[in-house]
């Protein structure tokens, strides 16, 4: 039993030391407001929350509840995700969760609708600064 606890303690300490490595992933959340929002609704706004270390994005489409149309929100988010994908050099993305719609009152008492998608970007393309090793026969 003592050997098991010692092995467990060593494993936990090595995992902790590995997590403290200087090459750790950037887990900070960057909030981005896209320049081209692709919205038709004048009250709508799109906001992107990007976690570079995980290659994940939460994207929000917010507008007044009376003018909210889910199809419009989905299309605007799709276009913004495509712009973001091209800008950051990703090849594709996949949805992590089912899209959600929520309704809340803002500070002025107006009811707002928020449509949220959460995606993970895949397969980053190489840029001119990446080093590629080629095997020559």
């Amino acid at each position: 039993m003592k050997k098991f606890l010692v092995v467990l303690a060593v494993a936990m300490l090595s995992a902790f030391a590995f997590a403290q490595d200087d090459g750790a992933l950037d887990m900070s959340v960057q909030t981005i407001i896209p320049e081209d929002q692709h919205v038709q609704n004048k009250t709508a706004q799109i906001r992107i929350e990007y976690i570079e270390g995980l290659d994940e994005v939460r994207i929000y489409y917010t507008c007044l509840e009376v003018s909210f149309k889910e199809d419009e929100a989905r299309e605007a988010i799709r276009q913004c995700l495509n712009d973001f994908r091209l800008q950051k050099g990703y090849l594709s993305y996949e949805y992590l969760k089912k899209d959600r719609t929520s309704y809340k009152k803002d500070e002025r008492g107006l009811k707002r609708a928020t449509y949220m998608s959460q995606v993970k970007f895949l397969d980053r393309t190489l840029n001119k600064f990446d080093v590629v090793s080629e095997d020559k026969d």
Side-chain angles (χ1 to χ4, degrees), residues 64-100:
L64 290 176
E65 188 258 341
V66 295
S67 60
F68 176 72
K69 294 179 183 165
E70 189 171 324
D71 293 341
E72 223 174 80
R74 188 179 304 115
E75 181 62 22
I77 282 178
R78 188 190 62 77
Q79 290 176 352
C80 285
L81 284 173
N82 192 45
D83 290 349
F84 184 83
R85 178 187 64 83
L86 294 172
Q87 177 187 5
K88 295 291 184 178
Y90 292 104
L91 293 177
S92 63
Y93 61 88
E94 66 184 9
Y95 288 88
L96 294 175
K97 295 181 179 179
K98 185 178 176 183
D99 294 349
R100 295 186 312 216

Side-chain angles (χ1 to χ4, degrees), residues 28-41:
S28 63
V29 178
Q30 301 171 26
T31 301
I32 302 165
I33 306 296
E35 288 182 25
D36 187 1
Q37 302 246 324
H38 300 286
V39 295
Q40 298 171 354
N41 184 341

Side-chain angles (χ1 to χ4, degrees), residues 12 14 17 28 47 72 82 87 96 100 104 110 119 123 128:
M12 290 178 67
S14 63
S28 63
R47 181 188 70 204
E72 223 174 80
N82 192 45
Q87 177 187 5
L96 294 175
R100 295 186 312 216
K104 296 180 182 170
L110 299 172
V119 300
D123 306 324
K128 63 182 178 182

